[in-house]
Amino acid sequence: MATAKQPAAVPTAISVDEFLAGNPDERRRADAGRLRAIMSELTGEPAVMWGSSIVGFGSYHYTYESGRSGDAPLVGFSPRKQHLVLYLTGGGVEEQYAELLARLGPHRAGNGCLYLKRLDDVDESVLRQLIERTTQVHRGIDRTSRQ
């Protein structure tokens, strides 16, 4: 009997502090700590590990047109080796946030993710707007941007 595919990331009991402290790159650890503070402030939610590598804040329930559904963090990030990966919308970052991304600074975007090399290279006020807007969309406050 076939079973439904389980979500790749669910909240875990893994320590966010230990996960972030385990990053060998000092600059990446500092950026991750700063991003954690920003996301926590803007969402009003504590940091929780989703899976083994995503630091998420809050949660929302989604349902795709296919009927598949699940839960995901309102916003989240992962301090990867090459980039800080921010998890924003469920897709269409470039279309939904084109004006903000044009003012952000150096980045790559795709499939709901935003890739940054360093936080110091981007406009923090624009980054905050992206995080706030995503949080509002996922909470259902801003339905105009929802896909």
Side-chain angles (χ1 to χ4, degrees):
M1 182 169 143
T3 59
K5 183 178 176 185
Q6 295 300 312
V10 295
T12 69
I14 297 170
S15 166
V16 173
D17 291 333
E18 288 179 20
F19 170 71
L20 295 179
N23 192 305
D25 185 299
E26 183 178 338
R27 182 174 60 192
R28 187 73 72 224
R29 280 194 312 272
D31 280 351
R34 196 165 130 210
L35 190 54
R36 176 188 186 177
I38 291 168
M39 287 187 167
S40 185
E41 172 193 337
L42 296 176
T43 63
E45 302 284 350
V48 173
M49 290 300 299
W50 284 68
S52 62
S53 64
I54 297 173
V55 180
F57 300 82
S59 68
Y60 74 101
H61 188 75
Y62 62 85
T63 303
Y64 295 132
E65 286 182 22
S66 67
R68 184 171 165 224
S69 65
D71 296 304
L74 293 169
V75 293
F77 73 93
S78 186
R80 304 273 168 91
K81 185 175 183 178
Q82 295 295 318
H83 297 95
L84 282 170
V85 181
L86 282 69
Y87 299 96
L88 300 175
T89 67
V93 171
E94 297 96 333
E95 295 82 22
Q96 290 187 34
Y97 303 127
E99 180 186 321
L100 289 172
L101 291 174
R103 297 183 296 138
L104 179 62
H107 71 278
R108 255 186 338 111
N111 202 26
C113 297
L114 181 64
Y115 301 88
L116 307 175
K117 288 278 190 183
R118 299 185 58 196
L119 284 186
D120 287 342
D121 292 342
V122 299
D123 184 326
E124 186 176 315
S125 69
V126 174
L127 181 63
R128 287 174 166 271
Q129 289 176 59
L130 286 164
I131 295 166
E132 286 177 326
R133 185 72 178 270
T134 297
T135 300
Q136 290 173 344
V137 168
H138 289 162
R139 286 185 169 152
I141 297 167
D142 181 353
R143 296 189 185 277
T144 60
S145 296
R146 185 170 282 194
Q147 288 189 330

